[in-house]
Amino acid sequence: MDQLTRDSVDLRDVVEQADRFGARVLTGDAEGVEVLGVEMLALDDIARAAPGSLVIATLPTNDAPRAYQIDIAVRRAISARAAALVLMNDVTLSETSRTLAHRGSLVVLAADAAPSELAVFVDRLVRRGAAGALSRAEHAIEAVSRAADAGGPDIRSAILEAASAALGVGLRIEEVPGVRWTEADAVCIGEVPIGRLVAERDDPAVAIARPVIASVLSRAASRESQDRFGPVRSRADLIVELLFAESSRIDGLAVDAARAGLPVQLSHSVAWLTPRVPGEPARRLPASLVAALELRALQLVDDRDEVWHVAAFHDDLLVVASEELGAPDHQRRLRDVVERFVQQAAVLVDEEWTFTVGLGTPQGGAAGLRQSATEARIAAESAVAAGRLGAVESTDVTGLRRVLLDFYASPLSRTLLDDVLSPLDALGAERADTSVRTLLAYLSTRNSLVRAAELLTLHPNAVNYRVRRIEQTLALDLDDPDTHFALELACRLRLVSPR
């Protein structure tokens, strides 16, 4: 960038006009000293000040700086060729500090106001026009780049602090529903917005620098997310594959999952979340919102003691809580987390969306993970099919229902049993459902027309008519024991697992 022409102001004018902030000269002559800008810097960062700037030294607490700290600050301000150094609150310069300032031609001031208020005043006094705004923006971008390159455990906070200090304006990330990743001030992880970069006040320099700062923050957030959640997301892909693979592949996939760090040997309880809009069953969440919900769920469980995984399956979400076998209240803890997630998800999506949740019972090992997921999925699908959108349905299955769920968990078994009833499906959904319920009533009462009629609240002749039509459609002998068993199992499976 070409060198910018900067307006300047005499330091004496700054001191005179800042009297309401308690500004006063501790040592040096303010007259004739050109001030090109203002910066708020911690004592350790003063050496990075821009030449000609008025540096406001800040401390992490409101305590007055000690003598040795002032000595160091004076040396660093001289080294940076600062126009002046401002110390906040009631301070006294030691003889050493005065001597150092005199030798370095540095004016040292004191002020009583909040550092940010003084910085805003001086900034407005010194910076005039487009050249000043571009200069401040350039300095802020350089400071943000240095903070990002330095890294650290909380890189986003470091970037915000560097930008705020360089601009003299406080910046923060604010969670705002509906932010689009294409907006200039959006802070995103990939294409998933996590908030918006907002300033305490707007001015031309902030407007120029904000898109660049937001971009740097987005890259830092993406890196943090990858470091924190990358391995978990990789294991989530294995979970989805494990849940829907053929039974013959379970052992091999379990070995792969264990190598990837998925604790398959533990007990697993699964929540299946299905987003729907009432009255619009075909409507689905955009992929970007599914990704945002997945990220929010991961953030929600990040600091919990249990082992958690979140996986997306089409537009549904699976939340897996893994604990030691026999851990008490396993399903309750899963329910608590999922209910909190649903509350937070409402912030990310429109109010018209509902989240129907099915909870599976805790089950051990890789096969148990599949079983719990199957239970959760059936519970969620049953609630949706029954019109209970937004419900949280727990599964407590025993006896025959568990056997049927085991069949449902196997794609091969499910396909074979569906094939048995496929001629009825050709009649249409409503007639197929009526036929299946009639057939099950007949078969479960040992082919008794009278008892089946009682279950269906029909006349036996009506049941007989239906059964004979079904028998003709299926082209099967309902009195054959093997056929009887297969058909009854297929009907029970069909009714326990909504299509």
Side-chain angles (χ1 to χ4, degrees), residues 414-437 439 469-470 473-475 487 490-491 493-495 497-499:
R414 195 162 62 246
T415 299
L416 290 174
L417 293 174
D418 278 344
D419 287 345
V420 174
L421 299 176
S422 60
L424 298 180
D425 293 331
L427 302 175
E430 185 174 351
R431 290 184 61 188
D433 182 70
T434 300
S435 298
V436 169
R437 294 182 184 277
L439 184 57
R469 290 289 300 271
I470 293 171
T473 302
L474 295 176
L487 280 173
C491 290
L493 178 62
R494 172 67 61 84
L495 295 178
S497 54
R499 296 168 67 80

PDB file of all heavy atoms in Angstrom, residues 414-437 439 469-470 473-475 487 490-491 493-495 497-499:
ATOM      1  N   ARG A 414     -34.862 -57.086   7.082  1.00  0.00           N
ATOM      2  CA  ARG A 414     -35.915 -56.127   6.794  1.00  0.00           C
ATOM      3  C   ARG A 414     -36.354 -56.236   5.331  1.00  0.00           C
ATOM      4  O   ARG A 414     -37.554 -56.199   5.013  1.00  0.00           O
ATOM      5  CB  ARG A 414     -35.417 -54.721   7.104  1.00  0.00           C
ATOM      6  CG  ARG A 414     -36.510 -53.698   7.184  1.00  0.00           C
ATOM      7  CD  ARG A 414     -36.026 -52.445   7.915  1.00  0.00           C
ATOM      8  NE  ARG A 414     -34.933 -51.769   7.258  1.00  0.00           N
ATOM      9  CZ  ARG A 414     -33.700 -51.670   7.775  1.00  0.00           C
ATOM     10  NH1 ARG A 414     -33.426 -52.192   8.932  1.00  0.00           N
ATOM     11  NH2 ARG A 414     -32.755 -51.042   7.110  1.00  0.00           N
ATOM     12  N   THR A 415     -35.403 -56.421   4.437  1.00  0.00           N
ATOM     13  CA  THR A 415     -35.722 -56.541   3.016  1.00  0.00           C
ATOM     14  C   THR A 415     -36.507 -57.808   2.726  1.00  0.00           C
ATOM     15  O   THR A 415     -37.498 -57.799   1.986  1.00  0.00           O
ATOM     16  CB  THR A 415     -34.417 -56.526   2.186  1.00  0.00           C
ATOM     17  OG1 THR A 415     -33.742 -55.299   2.405  1.00  0.00           O
ATOM     18  CG2 THR A 415     -34.717 -56.682   0.699  1.00  0.00           C
ATOM     19  N   LEU A 416     -36.079 -58.920   3.348  1.00  0.00           N
ATOM     20  CA  LEU A 416     -36.762 -60.192   3.116  1.00  0.00           C
ATOM     21  C   LEU A 416     -38.210 -60.139   3.579  1.00  0.00           C
ATOM     22  O   LEU A 416     -39.128 -60.608   2.897  1.00  0.00           O
ATOM     23  CB  LEU A 416     -36.015 -61.324   3.832  1.00  0.00           C
ATOM     24  CG  LEU A 416     -34.640 -61.693   3.246  1.00  0.00           C
ATOM     25  CD1 LEU A 416     -33.950 -62.721   4.131  1.00  0.00           C
ATOM     26  CD2 LEU A 416     -34.783 -62.233   1.823  1.00  0.00           C
ATOM     27  N   LEU A 417     -38.443 -59.585   4.753  1.00  0.00           N
ATOM     28  CA  LEU A 417     -39.799 -59.517   5.279  1.00  0.00           C
ATOM     29  C   LEU A 417     -40.651 -58.508   4.519  1.00  0.00           C
ATOM     30  O   LEU A 417     -41.852 -58.693   4.358  1.00  0.00           O
ATOM     31  CB  LEU A 417     -39.762 -59.187   6.773  1.00  0.00           C
ATOM     32  CG  LEU A 417     -39.149 -60.293   7.646  1.00  0.00           C
ATOM     33  CD1 LEU A 417     -39.013 -59.816   9.085  1.00  0.00           C
ATOM     34  CD2 LEU A 417     -39.994 -61.550   7.595  1.00  0.00           C
ATOM     35  N   ASP A 418     -40.046 -57.416   4.044  1.00  0.00           N
ATOM     36  CA  ASP A 418     -40.789 -56.463   3.220  1.00  0.00           C
ATOM     37  C   ASP A 418     -41.221 -57.095   1.896  1.00  0.00           C
ATOM     38  O   ASP A 418     -42.305 -56.808   1.371  1.00  0.00           O
ATOM     39  CB  ASP A 418     -39.950 -55.219   2.952  1.00  0.00           C
ATOM     40  CG  ASP A 418     -39.992 -54.227   4.112  1.00  0.00           C
ATOM     41  OD1 ASP A 418     -40.895 -54.368   4.964  1.00  0.00           O
ATOM     42  OD2 ASP A 418     -39.140 -53.335   4.164  1.00  0.00           O
ATOM     43  N   ASP A 419     -40.356 -57.968   1.376  1.00  0.00           N
ATOM     44  CA  ASP A 419     -40.691 -58.634   0.111  1.00  0.00           C
ATOM     45  C   ASP A 419     -41.948 -59.487   0.244  1.00  0.00           C
ATOM     46  O   ASP A 419     -42.738 -59.609  -0.700  1.00  0.00           O
ATOM     47  CB  ASP A 419     -39.523 -59.510  -0.348  1.00  0.00           C
ATOM     48  CG  ASP A 419     -38.360 -58.680  -0.881  1.00  0.00           C
ATOM     49  OD1 ASP A 419     -38.576 -57.482  -1.163  1.00  0.00           O
ATOM     50  OD2 ASP A 419     -37.255 -59.230  -1.006  1.00  0.00           O
ATOM     51  N   VAL A 420     -42.137 -60.072   1.418  1.00  0.00           N
ATOM     52  CA  VAL A 420     -43.314 -60.911   1.633  1.00  0.00           C
ATOM     53  C   VAL A 420     -44.596 -60.104   1.471  1.00  0.00           C
ATOM     54  O   VAL A 420     -45.599 -60.587   0.926  1.00  0.00           O
ATOM     55  CB  VAL A 420     -43.253 -61.563   3.042  1.00  0.00           C
ATOM     56  CG1 VAL A 420     -44.545 -62.331   3.341  1.00  0.00           C
ATOM     57  CG2 VAL A 420     -42.063 -62.490   3.145  1.00  0.00           C
ATOM     58  N   LEU A 421     -44.575 -58.843   1.931  1.00  0.00           N
ATOM     59  CA  LEU A 421     -45.773 -57.997   1.906  1.00  0.00           C
ATOM     60  C   LEU A 421     -45.833 -57.073   0.691  1.00  0.00           C
ATOM     61  O   LEU A 421     -46.766 -56.268   0.576  1.00  0.00           O
ATOM     62  CB  LEU A 421     -45.842 -57.153   3.180  1.00  0.00           C
ATOM     63  CG  LEU A 421     -45.927 -57.928   4.505  1.00  0.00           C
ATOM     64  CD1 LEU A 421     -45.902 -56.964   5.694  1.00  0.00           C
ATOM     65  CD2 LEU A 421     -47.180 -58.793   4.547  1.00  0.00           C
ATOM     66  N   SER A 422     -44.862 -57.144  -0.193  1.00  0.00           N
ATOM     67  CA  SER A 422     -44.799 -56.205  -1.312  1.00  0.00           C
ATOM     68  C   SER A 422     -46.047 -56.229  -2.201  1.00  0.00           C
ATOM     69  O   SER A 422     -46.444 -55.169  -2.709  1.00  0.00           O
ATOM     70  CB  SER A 422     -43.540 -56.463  -2.150  1.00  0.00           C
ATOM     71  OG  SER A 422     -43.546 -57.790  -2.667  1.00  0.00           O
ATOM     72  N   PRO A 423     -46.718 -57.390  -2.413  1.00  0.00           N
ATOM     73  CA  PRO A 423     -47.955 -57.332  -3.213  1.00  0.00           C
ATOM     74  C   PRO A 423     -49.035 -56.463  -2.576  1.00  0.00           C
ATOM     75  O   PRO A 423     -49.836 -55.847  -3.288  1.00  0.00           O
ATOM     76  CB  PRO A 423     -48.396 -58.804  -3.277  1.00  0.00           C
ATOM     77  CG  PRO A 423     -47.131 -59.589  -3.124  1.00  0.00           C
ATOM     78  CD  PRO A 423     -46.325 -58.788  -2.139  1.00  0.00           C
ATOM     79  N   LEU A 424     -49.067 -56.407  -1.242  1.00  0.00           N
ATOM     80  CA  LEU A 424     -50.038 -55.527  -0.579  1.00  0.00           C
ATOM     81  C   LEU A 424     -49.654 -54.062  -0.749  1.00  0.00           C
ATOM     82  O   LEU A 424     -50.531 -53.193  -0.865  1.00  0.00           O
ATOM     83  CB  LEU A 424     -50.134 -55.873   0.908  1.00  0.00           C
ATOM     84  CG  LEU A 424     -50.624 -57.293   1.248  1.00  0.00           C
ATOM     85  CD1 LEU A 424     -50.668 -57.481   2.765  1.00  0.00           C
ATOM     86  CD2 LEU A 424     -51.997 -57.550   0.640  1.00  0.00           C
ATOM     87  N   ASP A 425     -48.358 -53.765  -0.748  1.00  0.00           N
ATOM     88  CA  ASP A 425     -47.904 -52.379  -0.926  1.00  0.00           C
ATOM     89  C   ASP A 425     -48.339 -51.822  -2.278  1.00  0.00           C
ATOM     90  O   ASP A 425     -48.547 -50.606  -2.430  1.00  0.00           O
ATOM     91  CB  ASP A 425     -46.384 -52.296  -0.794  1.00  0.00           C
ATOM     92  CG  ASP A 425     -45.910 -52.604   0.620  1.00  0.00           C
ATOM     93  OD1 ASP A 425     -46.685 -52.331   1.569  1.00  0.00           O
ATOM     94  OD2 ASP A 425     -44.790 -53.112   0.776  1.00  0.00           O
ATOM     95  N   ALA A 426     -48.480 -52.715  -3.264  1.00  0.00           N
ATOM     96  CA  ALA A 426     -48.888 -52.261  -4.600  1.00  0.00           C
ATOM     97  C   ALA A 426     -50.322 -51.741  -4.610  1.00  0.00           C
ATOM     98  O   ALA A 426     -50.723 -51.062  -5.555  1.00  0.00           O
ATOM     99  CB  ALA A 426     -48.736 -53.407  -5.601  1.00  0.00           C
ATOM    100  N   LEU A 427     -51.081 -52.029  -3.542  1.00  0.00           N
ATOM    101  CA  LEU A 427     -52.470 -51.568  -3.470  1.00  0.00           C
ATOM    102  C   LEU A 427     -52.571 -50.112  -3.047  1.00  0.00           C
ATOM    103  O   LEU A 427     -53.660 -49.533  -3.113  1.00  0.00           O
ATOM    104  CB  LEU A 427     -53.260 -52.436  -2.475  1.00  0.00           C
ATOM    105  CG  LEU A 427     -53.304 -53.939  -2.766  1.00  0.00           C
ATOM    106  CD1 LEU A 427     -54.015 -54.669  -1.632  1.00  0.00           C
ATOM    107  CD2 LEU A 427     -53.997 -54.218  -4.101  1.00  0.00           C
ATOM    108  N   GLY A 428     -51.467 -49.536  -2.587  1.00  0.00           N
ATOM    109  CA  GLY A 428     -51.501 -48.170  -2.059  1.00  0.00           C
ATOM    110  C   GLY A 428     -51.310 -48.193  -0.556  1.00  0.00           C
ATOM    111  O   GLY A 428     -51.595 -49.196   0.113  1.00  0.00           O
ATOM    112  N   ALA A 429     -50.847 -47.076  -0.014  1.00  0.00           N
ATOM    113  CA  ALA A 429     -50.478 -47.029   1.399  1.00  0.00           C
ATOM    114  C   ALA A 429     -51.651 -47.325   2.318  1.00  0.00           C
ATOM    115  O   ALA A 429     -51.532 -48.106   3.276  1.00  0.00           O
ATOM    116  CB  ALA A 429     -49.876 -45.654   1.724  1.00  0.00           C
ATOM    117  N   GLU A 430     -52.823 -46.718   2.069  1.00  0.00           N
ATOM    118  CA  GLU A 430     -53.960 -46.883   2.975  1.00  0.00           C
ATOM    119  C   GLU A 430     -54.500 -48.316   2.941  1.00  0.00           C
ATOM    120  O   GLU A 430     -54.730 -48.933   3.980  1.00  0.00           O
ATOM    121  CB  GLU A 430     -55.060 -45.896   2.601  1.00  0.00           C
ATOM    122  CG  GLU A 430     -56.237 -45.915   3.568  1.00  0.00           C
ATOM    123  CD  GLU A 430     -57.259 -44.830   3.260  1.00  0.00           C
ATOM    124  OE1 GLU A 430     -56.950 -43.962   2.410  1.00  0.00           O
ATOM    125  OE2 GLU A 430     -58.346 -44.871   3.853  1.00  0.00           O
ATOM    126  N   ARG A 431     -54.692 -48.861   1.757  1.00  0.00           N
ATOM    127  CA  ARG A 431     -55.205 -50.234   1.646  1.00  0.00           C
ATOM    128  C   ARG A 431     -54.187 -51.238   2.161  1.00  0.00           C
ATOM    129  O   ARG A 431     -54.568 -52.261   2.765  1.00  0.00           O
ATOM    130  CB  ARG A 431     -55.563 -50.550   0.184  1.00  0.00           C
ATOM    131  CG  ARG A 431     -56.780 -49.796  -0.327  1.00  0.00           C
ATOM    132  CD  ARG A 431     -57.133 -50.230  -1.730  1.00  0.00           C
ATOM    133  NE  ARG A 431     -57.460 -51.656  -1.776  1.00  0.00           N
ATOM    134  CZ  ARG A 431     -57.653 -52.338  -2.919  1.00  0.00           C
ATOM    135  NH1 ARG A 431     -57.526 -51.698  -4.098  1.00  0.00           N
ATOM    136  NH2 ARG A 431     -57.956 -53.615  -2.893  1.00  0.00           N
ATOM    137  N   ALA A 432     -52.885 -50.958   1.945  1.00  0.00           N
ATOM    138  CA  ALA A 432     -51.853 -51.865   2.446  1.00  0.00           C
ATOM    139  C   ALA A 432     -51.868 -51.907   3.972  1.00  0.00           C
ATOM    140  O   ALA A 432     -51.765 -52.982   4.584  1.00  0.00           O
ATOM    141  CB  ALA A 432     -50.482 -51.432   1.939  1.00  0.00           C
ATOM    142  N   ASP A 433     -52.026 -50.725   4.617  1.00  0.00           N
ATOM    143  CA  ASP A 433     -52.058 -50.684   6.071  1.00  0.00           C
ATOM    144  C   ASP A 433     -53.270 -51.444   6.611  1.00  0.00           C
ATOM    145  O   ASP A 433     -53.160 -52.215   7.583  1.00  0.00           O
ATOM    146  CB  ASP A 433     -52.086 -49.231   6.542  1.00  0.00           C
ATOM    147  CG  ASP A 433     -52.068 -49.108   8.058  1.00  0.00           C
ATOM    148  OD1 ASP A 433     -51.017 -49.416   8.666  1.00  0.00           O
ATOM    149  OD2 ASP A 433     -53.103 -48.723   8.641  1.00  0.00           O
ATOM    150  N   THR A 434     -54.423 -51.260   6.005  1.00  0.00           N
ATOM    151  CA  THR A 434     -55.632 -51.986   6.430  1.00  0.00           C
ATOM    152  C   THR A 434     -55.446 -53.491   6.259  1.00  0.00           C
ATOM    153  O   THR A 434     -55.830 -54.288   7.139  1.00  0.00           O
ATOM    154  CB  THR A 434     -56.843 -51.513   5.611  1.00  0.00           C
ATOM    155  OG1 THR A 434     -57.038 -50.120   5.823  1.00  0.00           O
ATOM    156  CG2 THR A 434     -58.097 -52.274   6.015  1.00  0.00           C
ATOM    157  N   SER A 435     -54.838 -53.893   5.164  1.00  0.00           N
ATOM    158  CA  SER A 435     -54.619 -55.319   4.906  1.00  0.00           C
ATOM    159  C   SER A 435     -53.668 -55.930   5.926  1.00  0.00           C
ATOM    160  O   SER A 435     -53.892 -57.051   6.417  1.00  0.00           O
ATOM    161  CB  SER A 435     -54.085 -55.511   3.482  1.00  0.00           C
ATOM    162  OG  SER A 435     -55.012 -55.060   2.518  1.00  0.00           O
ATOM    163  N   VAL A 436     -52.586 -55.207   6.239  1.00  0.00           N
ATOM    164  CA  VAL A 436     -51.609 -55.715   7.206  1.00  0.00           C
ATOM    165  C   VAL A 436     -52.253 -55.878   8.583  1.00  0.00           C
ATOM    166  O   VAL A 436     -52.051 -56.891   9.268  1.00  0.00           O
ATOM    167  CB  VAL A 436     -50.380 -54.783   7.272  1.00  0.00           C
ATOM    168  CG1 VAL A 436     -49.492 -55.146   8.469  1.00  0.00           C
ATOM    169  CG2 VAL A 436     -49.577 -54.869   5.987  1.00  0.00           C
ATOM    170  N   ARG A 437     -53.038 -54.909   9.004  1.00  0.00           N
ATOM    171  CA  ARG A 437     -53.681 -54.992  10.320  1.00  0.00           C
ATOM    172  C   ARG A 437     -54.723 -56.133  10.354  1.00  0.00           C
ATOM    173  O   ARG A 437     -54.833 -56.841  11.359  1.00  0.00           O
ATOM    174  CB  ARG A 437     -54.338 -53.654  10.665  1.00  0.00           C
ATOM    175  CG  ARG A 437     -53.326 -52.528  10.864  1.00  0.00           C
ATOM    176  CD  ARG A 437     -53.971 -51.201  11.253  1.00  0.00           C
ATOM    177  NE  ARG A 437     -52.968 -50.153  11.333  1.00  0.00           N
ATOM    178  CZ  ARG A 437     -52.202 -49.938  12.400  1.00  0.00           C
ATOM    179  NH1 ARG A 437     -52.336 -50.720  13.484  1.00  0.00           N
ATOM    180  NH2 ARG A 437     -51.301 -48.972  12.391  1.00  0.00           N
ATOM    181  N   LEU A 439     -54.635 -58.854   8.449  1.00  0.00           N
ATOM    182  CA  LEU A 439     -53.894 -60.110   8.380  1.00  0.00           C
ATOM    183  C   LEU A 439     -53.274 -60.459   9.730  1.00  0.00           C
ATOM    184  O   LEU A 439     -53.311 -61.626  10.161  1.00  0.00           O
ATOM    185  CB  LEU A 439     -52.816 -60.000   7.298  1.00  0.00           C
ATOM    186  CG  LEU A 439     -51.998 -61.252   7.002  1.00  0.00           C
ATOM    187  CD1 LEU A 439     -52.907 -62.415   6.601  1.00  0.00           C
ATOM    188  CD2 LEU A 439     -50.971 -60.971   5.904  1.00  0.00           C
ATOM    189  N   ARG A 469     -59.320 -62.039   0.113  1.00  0.00           N
ATOM    190  CA  ARG A 469     -58.733 -61.113  -0.871  1.00  0.00           C
ATOM    191  C   ARG A 469     -57.223 -60.978  -0.651  1.00  0.00           C
ATOM    192  O   ARG A 469     -56.445 -60.941  -1.613  1.00  0.00           O
ATOM    193  CB  ARG A 469     -59.406 -59.739  -0.756  1.00  0.00           C
ATOM    194  CG  ARG A 469     -60.856 -59.708  -1.230  1.00  0.00           C
ATOM    195  CD  ARG A 469     -60.946 -59.843  -2.745  1.00  0.00           C
ATOM    196  NE  ARG A 469     -60.240 -58.779  -3.433  1.00  0.00           N
ATOM    197  CZ  ARG A 469     -60.798 -57.610  -3.766  1.00  0.00           C
ATOM    198  NH1 ARG A 469     -62.072 -57.386  -3.461  1.00  0.00           N
ATOM    199  NH2 ARG A 469     -60.101 -56.699  -4.402  1.00  0.00           N
ATOM    200  N   ILE A 470     -56.810 -60.923   0.619  1.00  0.00           N
ATOM    201  CA  ILE A 470     -55.371 -60.819   0.940  1.00  0.00           C
ATOM    202  C   ILE A 470     -54.646 -62.076   0.498  1.00  0.00           C
ATOM    203  O   ILE A 470     -53.549 -62.023  -0.096  1.00  0.00           O
ATOM    204  CB  ILE A 470     -55.183 -60.583   2.451  1.00  0.00           C
ATOM    205  CG1 ILE A 470     -55.721 -59.191   2.840  1.00  0.00           C
ATOM    206  CG2 ILE A 470     -53.715 -60.716   2.847  1.00  0.00           C
ATOM    207  CD1 ILE A 470     -55.785 -58.965   4.335  1.00  0.00           C
ATOM    208  N   THR A 473     -54.173 -62.006  -3.158  1.00  0.00           N
ATOM    209  CA  THR A 473     -53.169 -61.011  -3.550  1.00  0.00           C
ATOM    210  C   THR A 473     -51.757 -61.515  -3.295  1.00  0.00           C
ATOM    211  O   THR A 473     -50.852 -61.335  -4.118  1.00  0.00           O
ATOM    212  CB  THR A 473     -53.400 -59.692  -2.795  1.00  0.00           C
ATOM    213  OG1 THR A 473     -54.722 -59.217  -3.060  1.00  0.00           O
ATOM    214  CG2 THR A 473     -52.387 -58.637  -3.208  1.00  0.00           C
ATOM    215  N   LEU A 474     -51.559 -62.164  -2.143  1.00  0.00           N
ATOM    216  CA  LEU A 474     -50.223 -62.663  -1.787  1.00  0.00           C
ATOM    217  C   LEU A 474     -49.885 -63.969  -2.499  1.00  0.00           C
ATOM    218  O   LEU A 474     -48.706 -64.331  -2.606  1.00  0.00           O
ATOM    219  CB  LEU A 474     -50.132 -62.874  -0.277  1.00  0.00           C
ATOM    220  CG  LEU A 474     -50.231 -61.623   0.606  1.00  0.00           C
ATOM    221  CD1 LEU A 474     -50.223 -62.014   2.081  1.00  0.00           C
ATOM    222  CD2 LEU A 474     -49.076 -60.664   0.313  1.00  0.00           C
ATOM    223  N   ALA A 475     -50.935 -64.680  -2.941  1.00  0.00           N
ATOM    224  CA  ALA A 475     -50.738 -65.995  -3.583  1.00  0.00           C
ATOM    225  C   ALA A 475     -50.010 -66.943  -2.651  1.00  0.00           C
ATOM    226  O   ALA A 475     -49.075 -67.655  -3.038  1.00  0.00           O
ATOM    227  CB  ALA A 475     -49.995 -65.839  -4.904  1.00  0.00           C
ATOM    228  N   LEU A 487     -45.395 -64.551   7.689  1.00  0.00           N
ATOM    229  CA  LEU A 487     -46.330 -63.442   7.494  1.00  0.00           C
ATOM    230  C   LEU A 487     -46.621 -62.699   8.801  1.00  0.00           C
ATOM    231  O   LEU A 487     -46.698 -61.472   8.831  1.00  0.00           O
ATOM    232  CB  LEU A 487     -47.638 -63.966   6.889  1.00  0.00           C
ATOM    233  CG  LEU A 487     -47.629 -64.212   5.379  1.00  0.00           C
ATOM    234  CD1 LEU A 487     -48.923 -64.887   4.950  1.00  0.00           C
ATOM    235  CD2 LEU A 487     -47.425 -62.902   4.620  1.00  0.00           C
ATOM    236  N   ALA A 490     -43.648 -60.602   9.595  1.00  0.00           N
ATOM    237  CA  ALA A 490     -43.564 -59.452   8.693  1.00  0.00           C
ATOM    238  C   ALA A 490     -44.581 -58.379   9.074  1.00  0.00           C
ATOM    239  O   ALA A 490     -44.281 -57.178   9.053  1.00  0.00           O
ATOM    240  CB  ALA A 490     -43.776 -59.906   7.252  1.00  0.00           C
ATOM    241  N   CYS A 491     -45.797 -58.806   9.443  1.00  0.00           N
ATOM    242  CA  CYS A 491     -46.824 -57.838   9.837  1.00  0.00           C
ATOM    243  C   CYS A 491     -46.449 -57.120  11.122  1.00  0.00           C
ATOM    244  O   CYS A 491     -46.633 -55.903  11.251  1.00  0.00           O
ATOM    245  CB  CYS A 491     -48.169 -58.549  10.007  1.00  0.00           C
ATOM    246  SG  CYS A 491     -48.916 -59.115   8.461  1.00  0.00           S
ATOM    247  N   LEU A 493     -43.455 -56.649  12.337  1.00  0.00           N
ATOM    248  CA  LEU A 493     -42.336 -55.770  12.058  1.00  0.00           C
ATOM    249  C   LEU A 493     -42.810 -54.507  11.339  1.00  0.00           C
ATOM    250  O   LEU A 493     -42.384 -53.387  11.660  1.00  0.00           O
ATOM    251  CB  LEU A 493     -41.289 -56.481  11.214  1.00  0.00           C
ATOM    252  CG  LEU A 493     -40.069 -55.647  10.804  1.00  0.00           C
ATOM    253  CD1 LEU A 493     -39.307 -55.183  12.018  1.00  0.00           C
ATOM    254  CD2 LEU A 493     -39.148 -56.456   9.890  1.00  0.00           C
ATOM    255  N   ARG A 494     -43.741 -54.659  10.407  1.00  0.00           N
ATOM    256  CA  ARG A 494     -44.241 -53.529   9.647  1.00  0.00           C
ATOM    257  C   ARG A 494     -44.925 -52.519  10.586  1.00  0.00           C
ATOM    258  O   ARG A 494     -44.737 -51.306  10.458  1.00  0.00           O
ATOM    259  CB  ARG A 494     -45.227 -54.008   8.579  1.00  0.00           C
ATOM    260  CG  ARG A 494     -45.953 -52.896   7.845  1.00  0.00           C
ATOM    261  CD  ARG A 494     -44.999 -52.079   6.981  1.00  0.00           C
ATOM    262  NE  ARG A 494     -44.354 -52.860   5.980  1.00  0.00           N
ATOM    263  CZ  ARG A 494     -44.868 -53.151   4.784  1.00  0.00           C
ATOM    264  NH1 ARG A 494     -46.053 -52.680   4.454  1.00  0.00           N
ATOM    265  NH2 ARG A 494     -44.197 -53.886   3.918  1.00  0.00           N
ATOM    266  N   LEU A 495     -45.683 -53.001  11.544  1.00  0.00           N
ATOM    267  CA  LEU A 495     -46.425 -52.101  12.424  1.00  0.00           C
ATOM    268  C   LEU A 495     -45.561 -51.494  13.521  1.00  0.00           C
ATOM    269  O   LEU A 495     -45.899 -50.440  14.066  1.00  0.00           O
ATOM    270  CB  LEU A 495     -47.617 -52.853  13.051  1.00  0.00           C
ATOM    271  CG  LEU A 495     -48.677 -53.313  12.064  1.00  0.00           C
ATOM    272  CD1 LEU A 495     -49.772 -54.086  12.771  1.00  0.00           C
ATOM    273  CD2 LEU A 495     -49.276 -52.127  11.322  1.00  0.00           C
ATOM    274  N   SER A 497     -42.409 -50.606  12.997  1.00  0.00           N
ATOM    275  CA  SER A 497     -41.429 -49.723  12.359  1.00  0.00           C
ATOM    276  C   SER A 497     -42.108 -48.989  11.218  1.00  0.00           C
ATOM    277  O   SER A 497     -42.148 -49.468  10.106  1.00  0.00           O
ATOM    278  CB  SER A 497     -40.240 -50.524  11.821  1.00  0.00           C
ATOM    279  OG  SER A 497     -40.683 -51.558  10.972  1.00  0.00           O
ATOM    280  N   PRO A 498     -42.663 -47.791  11.495  1.00  0.00           N
ATOM    281  CA  PRO A 498     -43.395 -47.038  10.455  1.00  0.00           C
ATOM    282  C   PRO A 498     -42.549 -46.805   9.225  1.00  0.00           C
ATOM    283  O   PRO A 498     -41.362 -46.507   9.336  1.00  0.00           O
ATOM    284  CB  PRO A 498     -43.724 -45.715  11.163  1.00  0.00           C
ATOM    285  CG  PRO A 498     -43.598 -45.998  12.615  1.00  0.00           C
ATOM    286  CD  PRO A 498     -42.587 -47.085  12.755  1.00  0.00           C
ATOM    287  N   ARG A 499     -43.187 -46.901   8.077  1.00  0.00           N
ATOM    288  CA  ARG A 499     -42.453 -46.714   6.813  1.00  0.00           C
ATOM    289  C   ARG A 499     -42.339 -45.240   6.496  1.00  0.00           C
ATOM    290  O   ARG A 499     -43.143 -44.450   6.882  1.00  0.00           O
ATOM    291  CB  ARG A 499     -43.169 -47.442   5.679  1.00  0.00           C
ATOM    292  CG  ARG A 499     -43.187 -48.942   5.895  1.00  0.00           C
ATOM    293  CD  ARG A 499     -44.129 -49.613   4.938  1.00  0.00           C
ATOM    294  NE  ARG A 499     -43.648 -49.510   3.585  1.00  0.00           N
ATOM    295  CZ  ARG A 499     -42.708 -50.287   3.051  1.00  0.00           C
ATOM    296  NH1 ARG A 499     -42.123 -51.225   3.783  1.00  0.00           N
ATOM    297  NH2 ARG A 499     -42.339 -50.150   1.799  1.00  0.00           N
TER     298      ARG A 499
END
